Structure formats: structure tokens, C-alpha cells
């Protein structure tokens, strides 16, 4: 089981209002203010890891969070992550949180030496390719993965069906050498793009319970990555151990 987030020394008075601008980038101090606010909102759930989703954001914005001891950052695009990672401190623990094409798995593993986890493994093929890439790289440790579940059954989303979870995870965690350099850590989902995400989060919670029962896994050994800027507090209340918060910290995304 991978370690949970570091504990931070909290200020006696946390900010209560986000700094947001519609037409300009946020300042260094604005970003730090927002990060402290999100930390305050998640601090009541001690097992929740905060991932700062820095998609399209420059390295200066990432460093604003880094300077407040934030180490877990998430990126959606393989090329963007491969470009950013060499320019930033190597103790950052990168999460890949976007759709990963099979033909980019090897290059991502080879280029981002501090890639901590791929959260969006949506097929056995991708799992095998990642494991093979780690085997052929200079990396000395296994690569952590989450299996992505399409809990809302939306065509525009990647992920396996809920009824496939047990079989897929059983194969990944088996003795099959094709998967021996990846380490299954849990399940990931993206809530509905519009509407109440409660049902989606509950599906993932149920998948976790079924997985624990069918594969005899301790519940606390299965992480849940669910919740983004609009719903991370609700996700944490429902059992998420990993929330991916972007615009609430960094402001509106830049045009890609």
C-alpha cells in the first residue's frame, strides 16, 4: 500500500475564500492561498491525498505549490508531462491522470523517471505495456497504477465497466510475469461531467467492496481516486483517498 499524503503544519487561520480571476493568471500568492484553502477542506479526512492537477499550467505555478511542500502533482497529457518533468524538482511525485495511448506508454516511463503512478489504466494491454516499459527502463521500483472504471457509462470516457473490475484486477495481481513491474493500488473514476456525482462515487465504493470480498483483499489496501475541483469534498466524505484538484488551486485552465 503506498503511503498517504504528508502531514503539513497548518497555519492558525486558514483562508476561507478562493482567489480566482476570469481574465488573468493567478499570482504566486493567489495559488498558495488556494492551496491552503483546499488543504483545510481536506484536513478533516486524514487519509486523503491531495493531487494538484497542473494541466496546462506553467512550471512557475507548480513551484508556488511546491514551495508549500506540495509534492503530488497530476498531468493529463503525456507530452506535456514529459516536457515539464525535467524542468522541475525530481522529488515531485507525478500522477498521470489523462487518457494514455498505448504507443506512448514506453516513452512516458522512460522520460518521467519520477512518475509515481498512472491512474488511468483502462485495459490489460496498457497494463502489460507499462510493466514491460518499466522492465526495459532503468527504473528500479515497480510503477504504481490505478485501474480506471467508467462508473457513469459515458461513451466519451475511458475505463472498464464495473462488472469487469474483479477479473481485470485478478489478472493484474496474479503471478503472470507480464504484470510483475506494476503495482495495483486501487480504483479511479471521473464523476459525471454534469449533474450529481454521488451515484458514480457510490459505484466505485461498491466496486471496492466487491473486489475486497472476491479477491480477499483488505479494504484499507484498496485506494479510491475520485473527486476533482467541483466535488472533491463530497468524494472525500464518500471514501476517496486521492483527490485531483486543478482549477480550484490554479484558476481556469489555459487553452491547450
Amino acid at each position: 500500500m503506498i503511503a498517504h499524503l504528508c502531514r503539513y503544519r497548518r497555519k492558525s487561520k486558514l483562508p476561507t475564500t478562493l482567489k480566482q480571476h476570469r481574465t488573468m493568471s493567478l499570482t504566486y500568492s493567489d495559488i498558495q492561498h488556494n492551496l491552503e484553502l483546499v488543504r483545510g477542506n481536506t484536513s478533516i479526512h486524514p487519509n486523503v491525498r491531495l493531487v494538484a492537477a497542473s494541466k496546462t499550467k506553467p512550471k512557475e505555478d507548480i513551484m508556488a505549490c511546491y514551495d508549500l511542500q506540495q509534492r503530488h502533482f497530476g498531468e493529463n497529457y503525456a507530452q506535456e508531462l514529459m516536457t515539464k518533468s525535467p524542468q522541475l524538482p525530481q522529488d515531485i511525485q507525478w500522477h498521470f491522470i489523462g487518457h494514455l495511448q498505448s504507443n506512448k506508454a514506453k516513452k512516458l516511463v522512460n522520460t518521467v523517471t519520477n512518475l509515481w503512478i498512472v491512474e488511468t489504466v483502462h485495459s490489460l494491454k496498457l497494463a502489460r505495456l507499462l510493466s514491460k516499459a518499466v522492465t526495459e527502463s532503468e527504473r528500479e521500483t515497480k510503477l504504481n497504477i490505478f485501474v480506471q472504471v467508467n462508473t457513469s457509462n459515458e461513451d466519451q470516457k475511458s475505463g472498464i465497466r464495473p462488472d469487469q473490475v474483479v477479473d481485470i484486477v485478478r489478472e493484474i495481481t496474479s503471478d503472470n510475469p507480464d504484470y510483475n513491474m506494476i503495482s495495483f493500488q486501487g480504483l479511479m473514476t471521473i464523476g459525471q461531467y454534469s449533474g450529481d456525482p454521488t451515484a458514480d462515487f457510490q459505484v466505485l465504493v461498491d466496486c471496492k467492496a466487491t473486489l475486497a470480498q472476491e479477491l480477499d483483499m483488505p479494504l484499507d489496501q484498496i485506494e479510491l481516486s475520485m473527486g476533482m475541483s467541483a466535488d472533491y469534498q463530497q468524494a472525500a466524505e464518500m471514501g476517496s483517498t486521492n483527490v485531483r484538484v486543478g482549477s480550484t488551486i490554479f484558476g481556469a485552465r489555459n487553452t491547450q
Side-chain angles (χ1 to χ4, degrees):
M1 184 63 173
I2 44 187
H4 284 297
L5 77 170
C6 298
R7 301 297 186 264
Y8 301 97
R9 288 186 300 170
R10 293 180 57 194
K11 296 180 179 179
S12 58
K13 186 176 181 180
L14 288 166
T16 58
T17 309
L18 287 171
K19 299 289 185 68
Q20 298 285 344
H21 299 297
R22 293 178 180 273
T23 59
M24 65 182 76
S25 298
L26 297 187
T27 66
Y28 179 96
S29 59
D30 288 340
I31 292 169
Q32 290 197 332
H33 171 99
N34 290 345
L35 176 62
E36 289 280 42
L37 177 59
V38 174
R39 283 179 176 170
N41 290 339
T42 58
S43 64
I44 59 174
H45 305 286
N47 291 325
V48 175
R49 178 187 305 106
L50 171 60
V51 180
S54 48
K55 169 184 174 182
T56 77
K57 295 300 177 181
K59 61 181 184 294
E60 292 80 7
D61 289 6
I62 294 172
M63 286 305 300
C65 295
Y66 181 89
D67 289 345
L68 280 182
Q69 307 305 312
Q70 179 68 28
R71 292 297 181 267
H72 289 272
F73 290 88
E75 289 288 339
N76 289 66
Y77 303 122
Q79 187 57 55
E80 183 177 359
L81 176 52
M82 289 186 286
T83 300
K84 282 180 178 177
S85 62
Q87 304 174 34
L88 288 159
Q90 290 304 293
D91 61 336
I92 285 178
Q93 295 174 295
W94 289 108
H95 295 230
F96 188 78
I97 58 176
H99 179 72
L100 181 59
Q101 296 175 318
S102 298
N103 61 359
K104 293 187 177 178
K106 182 175 182 178
K107 189 174 182 181
L108 181 68
V109 169
N110 287 336
T111 304
V112 186
T113 56
N114 50 335
L115 180 64
W116 194 67
I117 192 165
V118 174
E119 295 202 19
T120 49
V121 172
H122 55 270
S123 68
L124 289 174
K125 177 184 177 181
L126 180 58
R128 287 192 297 270
L129 287 172
L130 287 169
S131 183
K132 182 180 180 182
V134 175
T135 301
E136 296 175 350
S137 74
E138 297 180 359
R139 187 183 179 104
E140 297 179 354
T141 59
K142 293 183 179 183
L143 175 64
N144 299 314
I145 67 161
F146 289 148
V147 170
Q148 183 176 4
V149 184
N150 187 348
T151 53
S152 56
N153 196 32
E154 294 175 88
D155 292 339
Q156 66 269 40
K157 289 182 184 174
S158 297
I160 64 173
R161 300 190 313 269
D163 63 0
Q164 295 176 302
V165 167
V166 171
D167 288 341
I168 295 276
V169 175
R170 179 185 286 116
E171 178 67 11
I172 288 173
T173 58
S174 70
D175 294 331
N176 188 329
D178 287 345
Y179 308 101
N180 63 1
M181 286 306 293
I182 55 175
S183 178
F184 170 76
Q185 298 298 328
L187 306 173
M188 177 268 202
T189 196
I190 300 170
Q192 293 184 44
Y193 290 130
S194 61
D196 186 352
T198 302
D200 295 326
F201 294 163
Q202 187 58 54
V203 169
L204 203 67
V205 170
D206 293 343
C207 285
K208 173 179 176 175
T210 301
L211 196 59
Q213 180 177 10
E214 294 294 324
L215 299 187
D216 195 26
M217 289 181 172
L219 274 172
D220 62 2
Q221 296 289 305
I222 305 171
E223 289 211 41
L224 294 182
S225 176
M226 58 187 193
M228 299 188 293
S229 284
D231 49 32
Y232 71 94
Q233 294 183 72
Q234 180 182 356
E237 291 170 359
M238 294 186 66
S240 179
T241 59
N242 189 85
V243 294
R244 313 175 302 272
V245 181
S247 58
T248 298
I249 295 172
F250 295 105
R253 287 174 176 163
N254 303 329
T255 302
Q256 183 74 352

Short mmCIF file of all heavy atoms in Angstrom, two decimals, residues 91-120:
data_model
loop_
_atom_site.label_atom_id
_atom_site.label_comp_id
_atom_site.label_asym_id
_atom_site.label_seq_id
_atom_site.Cartn_x
_atom_site.Cartn_y
_atom_site.Cartn_z
N ASP A 91 11.99 15.44 -6.81
CA ASP A 91 11.25 14.78 -5.73
C ASP A 91 9.75 14.97 -5.88
O ASP A 91 8.97 14.52 -5.03
CB ASP A 91 11.72 15.25 -4.35
CG ASP A 91 11.51 16.73 -4.11
OD1 ASP A 91 11.43 17.50 -5.10
OD2 ASP A 91 11.41 17.14 -2.94
N ILE A 92 9.32 15.63 -6.97
CA ILE A 92 7.89 15.66 -7.27
C ILE A 92 7.44 14.24 -7.60
O ILE A 92 8.13 13.48 -8.27
CB ILE A 92 7.60 16.61 -8.45
CG1 ILE A 92 7.70 18.07 -7.99
CG2 ILE A 92 6.22 16.34 -9.06
CD1 ILE A 92 7.48 19.09 -9.09
N GLN A 93 6.25 13.89 -7.13
CA GLN A 93 5.68 12.57 -7.40
C GLN A 93 4.54 12.76 -8.40
O GLN A 93 3.44 13.18 -8.04
CB GLN A 93 5.21 11.95 -6.08
CG GLN A 93 6.39 11.67 -5.14
CD GLN A 93 5.96 11.18 -3.78
OE1 GLN A 93 5.32 11.90 -3.02
NE2 GLN A 93 6.29 9.94 -3.45
N TRP A 94 4.85 12.46 -9.65
CA TRP A 94 3.90 12.74 -10.73
C TRP A 94 2.82 11.66 -10.83
O TRP A 94 3.12 10.47 -10.78
CB TRP A 94 4.63 12.83 -12.06
CG TRP A 94 5.48 14.05 -12.23
CD1 TRP A 94 6.84 14.10 -12.23
CD2 TRP A 94 5.02 15.38 -12.44
NE1 TRP A 94 7.26 15.40 -12.42
CE2 TRP A 94 6.17 16.21 -12.55
CE3 TRP A 94 3.75 15.98 -12.54
CZ2 TRP A 94 6.08 17.58 -12.77
CZ3 TRP A 94 3.67 17.34 -12.74
CH2 TRP A 94 4.82 18.13 -12.86
N HIS A 95 1.59 12.12 -11.02
CA HIS A 95 0.45 11.25 -11.32
C HIS A 95 0.06 11.51 -12.76
O HIS A 95 -0.19 12.67 -13.14
CB HIS A 95 -0.75 11.60 -10.43
CG HIS A 95 -0.55 11.34 -8.97
ND1 HIS A 95 -1.45 10.63 -8.21
CD2 HIS A 95 0.45 11.71 -8.11
CE1 HIS A 95 -1.04 10.58 -6.96
NE2 HIS A 95 0.12 11.22 -6.88
N PHE A 96 -0.02 10.47 -13.57
CA PHE A 96 -0.60 10.66 -14.90
C PHE A 96 -2.09 10.39 -14.77
O PHE A 96 -2.51 9.29 -14.38
CB PHE A 96 0.02 9.73 -15.94
CG PHE A 96 -0.46 10.07 -17.33
CD1 PHE A 96 0.07 11.15 -18.00
CD2 PHE A 96 -1.50 9.35 -17.92
CE1 PHE A 96 -0.41 11.52 -19.26
CE2 PHE A 96 -1.98 9.71 -19.17
CZ PHE A 96 -1.44 10.79 -19.84
N ILE A 97 -2.92 11.40 -15.11
CA ILE A 97 -4.35 11.32 -14.84
C ILE A 97 -5.21 11.48 -16.09
O ILE A 97 -6.44 11.61 -15.99
CB ILE A 97 -4.77 12.34 -13.76
CG1 ILE A 97 -4.41 13.77 -14.19
CG2 ILE A 97 -4.12 12.01 -12.43
CD1 ILE A 97 -4.88 14.85 -13.20
N GLY A 98 -4.59 11.47 -17.26
CA GLY A 98 -5.34 11.58 -18.50
C GLY A 98 -5.36 10.27 -19.26
O GLY A 98 -4.84 9.25 -18.80
N HIS A 99 -5.98 10.29 -20.43
CA HIS A 99 -6.02 9.07 -21.26
C HIS A 99 -4.63 8.81 -21.82
O HIS A 99 -4.02 9.68 -22.45
CB HIS A 99 -7.03 9.24 -22.39
CG HIS A 99 -7.10 8.06 -23.29
ND1 HIS A 99 -7.66 6.86 -22.91
CD2 HIS A 99 -6.64 7.87 -24.57
CE1 HIS A 99 -7.57 5.99 -23.89
NE2 HIS A 99 -6.95 6.58 -24.91
N LEU A 100 -4.12 7.63 -21.59
CA LEU A 100 -2.78 7.27 -22.06
C LEU A 100 -2.89 6.32 -23.24
O LEU A 100 -3.40 5.20 -23.11
CB LEU A 100 -1.96 6.62 -20.94
CG LEU A 100 -0.52 6.23 -21.30
CD1 LEU A 100 0.28 7.45 -21.75
CD2 LEU A 100 0.16 5.55 -20.12
N GLN A 101 -2.39 6.77 -24.38
CA GLN A 101 -2.38 5.92 -25.57
C GLN A 101 -1.28 4.87 -25.41
O GLN A 101 -0.20 5.14 -24.89
CB GLN A 101 -2.13 6.76 -26.82
CG GLN A 101 -3.24 7.76 -27.11
CD GLN A 101 -2.89 8.65 -28.29
OE1 GLN A 101 -1.77 9.12 -28.41
NE2 GLN A 101 -3.87 8.90 -29.14
N SER A 102 -1.56 3.69 -25.90
CA SER A 102 -0.62 2.58 -25.75
C SER A 102 0.75 2.90 -26.32
O SER A 102 1.79 2.52 -25.75
CB SER A 102 -1.18 1.32 -26.43
OG SER A 102 -2.39 0.92 -25.82
N ASN A 103 0.79 3.62 -27.43
CA ASN A 103 2.08 3.89 -28.09
C ASN A 103 2.92 4.92 -27.36
O ASN A 103 4.06 5.19 -27.76
CB ASN A 103 1.87 4.31 -29.55
CG ASN A 103 1.06 5.59 -29.70
OD1 ASN A 103 0.62 6.18 -28.71
ND2 ASN A 103 0.86 6.01 -30.93
N LYS A 104 2.38 5.51 -26.28
CA LYS A 104 3.15 6.49 -25.51
C LYS A 104 3.57 5.96 -24.15
O LYS A 104 4.26 6.66 -23.40
CB LYS A 104 2.35 7.78 -25.35
CG LYS A 104 2.13 8.52 -26.66
CD LYS A 104 1.48 9.87 -26.46
CE LYS A 104 1.35 10.59 -27.80
NZ LYS A 104 0.67 11.91 -27.64
N ALA A 105 3.18 4.75 -23.84
CA ALA A 105 3.47 4.20 -22.51
C ALA A 105 4.98 4.08 -22.27
O ALA A 105 5.49 4.50 -21.22
CB ALA A 105 2.80 2.84 -22.35
N LYS A 106 5.70 3.52 -23.22
CA LYS A 106 7.14 3.31 -23.04
C LYS A 106 7.88 4.63 -22.90
O LYS A 106 8.72 4.80 -22.00
CB LYS A 106 7.70 2.51 -24.22
CG LYS A 106 9.18 2.21 -24.09
CD LYS A 106 9.66 1.32 -25.22
CE LYS A 106 11.14 0.99 -25.06
NZ LYS A 106 11.62 0.07 -26.14
N LYS A 107 7.57 5.60 -23.76
CA LYS A 107 8.27 6.88 -23.72
C LYS A 107 7.97 7.62 -22.42
O LYS A 107 8.86 8.26 -21.84
CB LYS A 107 7.88 7.73 -24.92
CG LYS A 107 8.72 8.99 -25.06
CD LYS A 107 8.40 9.74 -26.34
CE LYS A 107 9.27 10.98 -26.48
NZ LYS A 107 8.95 11.73 -27.72
N LEU A 108 6.73 7.53 -21.94
CA LEU A 108 6.38 8.19 -20.68
C LEU A 108 7.19 7.62 -19.52
O LEU A 108 7.75 8.37 -18.71
CB LEU A 108 4.88 8.03 -20.41
CG LEU A 108 4.35 8.70 -19.14
CD1 LEU A 108 4.42 10.22 -19.27
CD2 LEU A 108 2.92 8.27 -18.86
N VAL A 109 7.27 6.31 -19.44
CA VAL A 109 8.02 5.66 -18.35
C VAL A 109 9.50 6.00 -18.44
O VAL A 109 10.15 6.28 -17.42
CB VAL A 109 7.81 4.13 -18.39
CG1 VAL A 109 8.78 3.43 -17.46
CG2 VAL A 109 6.38 3.79 -18.03
N ASN A 110 10.05 6.02 -19.64
CA ASN A 110 11.48 6.28 -19.82
C ASN A 110 11.84 7.73 -19.54
O ASN A 110 12.92 8.03 -19.02
CB ASN A 110 11.93 5.91 -21.24
CG ASN A 110 12.00 4.43 -21.47
OD1 ASN A 110 12.16 3.65 -20.52
ND2 ASN A 110 11.87 4.01 -22.71
N THR A 111 10.93 8.65 -19.88
CA THR A 111 11.24 10.07 -19.77
C THR A 111 10.99 10.62 -18.38
O THR A 111 11.79 11.38 -17.84
CB THR A 111 10.41 10.87 -20.79
OG1 THR A 111 10.65 10.37 -22.10
CG2 THR A 111 10.76 12.36 -20.75
N VAL A 112 9.88 10.21 -17.78
CA VAL A 112 9.49 10.75 -16.47
C VAL A 112 9.97 9.77 -15.40
O VAL A 112 9.23 8.87 -14.98
CB VAL A 112 7.97 10.99 -16.39
CG1 VAL A 112 7.60 11.69 -15.07
CG2 VAL A 112 7.49 11.83 -17.57
N THR A 113 11.20 9.95 -14.98
CA THR A 113 11.79 9.00 -14.05
C THR A 113 11.15 9.04 -12.67
O THR A 113 11.25 8.07 -11.91
CB THR A 113 13.30 9.26 -13.91
OG1 THR A 113 13.51 10.63 -13.49
CG2 THR A 113 14.01 9.04 -15.24
N ASN A 114 10.49 10.15 -12.35
CA ASN A 114 9.79 10.25 -11.06
C ASN A 114 8.27 10.13 -11.24
O ASN A 114 7.50 10.70 -10.48
CB ASN A 114 10.15 11.54 -10.33
CG ASN A 114 10.03 12.80 -11.20
OD1 ASN A 114 10.14 12.72 -12.42
ND2 ASN A 114 9.85 13.94 -10.57
N LEU A 115 7.87 9.37 -12.26
CA LEU A 115 6.46 9.03 -12.42
C LEU A 115 6.05 8.12 -11.28
O LEU A 115 6.58 7.02 -11.12
CB LEU A 115 6.24 8.34 -13.77
CG LEU A 115 4.81 7.91 -14.11
CD1 LEU A 115 3.88 9.12 -14.23
CD2 LEU A 115 4.80 7.10 -15.42
N TRP A 116 5.12 8.57 -10.48
CA TRP A 116 4.76 7.84 -9.27
C TRP A 116 3.61 6.87 -9.50
O TRP A 116 3.57 5.79 -8.93
CB TRP A 116 4.39 8.83 -8.17
CG TRP A 116 4.33 8.26 -6.80
CD1 TRP A 116 5.37 7.77 -6.07
CD2 TRP A 116 3.16 8.14 -5.97
NE1 TRP A 116 4.93 7.34 -4.82
CE2 TRP A 116 3.57 7.57 -4.75
CE3 TRP A 116 1.82 8.47 -6.14
CZ2 TRP A 116 2.68 7.31 -3.71
CZ3 TRP A 116 0.93 8.22 -5.11
CH2 TRP A 116 1.37 7.64 -3.91
N ILE A 117 2.66 7.28 -10.35
CA ILE A 117 1.51 6.42 -10.59
C ILE A 117 0.85 6.79 -11.91
O ILE A 117 0.84 7.96 -12.32
CB ILE A 117 0.48 6.53 -9.44
CG1 ILE A 117 -0.58 5.42 -9.54
CG2 ILE A 117 -0.17 7.90 -9.38
CD1 ILE A 117 -1.41 5.26 -8.25
N VAL A 118 0.31 5.81 -12.60
CA VAL A 118 -0.59 6.02 -13.72
C VAL A 118 -1.98 5.68 -13.21
O VAL A 118 -2.26 4.52 -12.88
CB VAL A 118 -0.22 5.15 -14.94
CG1 VAL A 118 -1.28 5.29 -16.04
CG2 VAL A 118 1.16 5.55 -15.47
N GLU A 119 -2.83 6.69 -13.15
CA GLU A 119 -4.15 6.50 -12.54
C GLU A 119 -5.20 5.99 -13.52
O GLU A 119 -6.31 5.64 -13.11
CB GLU A 119 -4.65 7.82 -11.94
CG GLU A 119 -3.82 8.34 -10.78
CD GLU A 119 -4.61 9.31 -9.91
OE1 GLU A 119 -5.86 9.31 -9.98
OE2 GLU A 119 -3.97 10.05 -9.14
N THR A 120 -4.85 5.92 -14.79
CA THR A 120 -5.88 5.70 -15.81
C THR A 120 -5.63 4.43 -16.63
O THR A 120 -5.80 4.44 -17.85
CB THR A 120 -5.93 6.93 -16.74
OG1 THR A 120 -4.59 7.25 -17.16
CG2 THR A 120 -6.53 8.13 -16.02
#
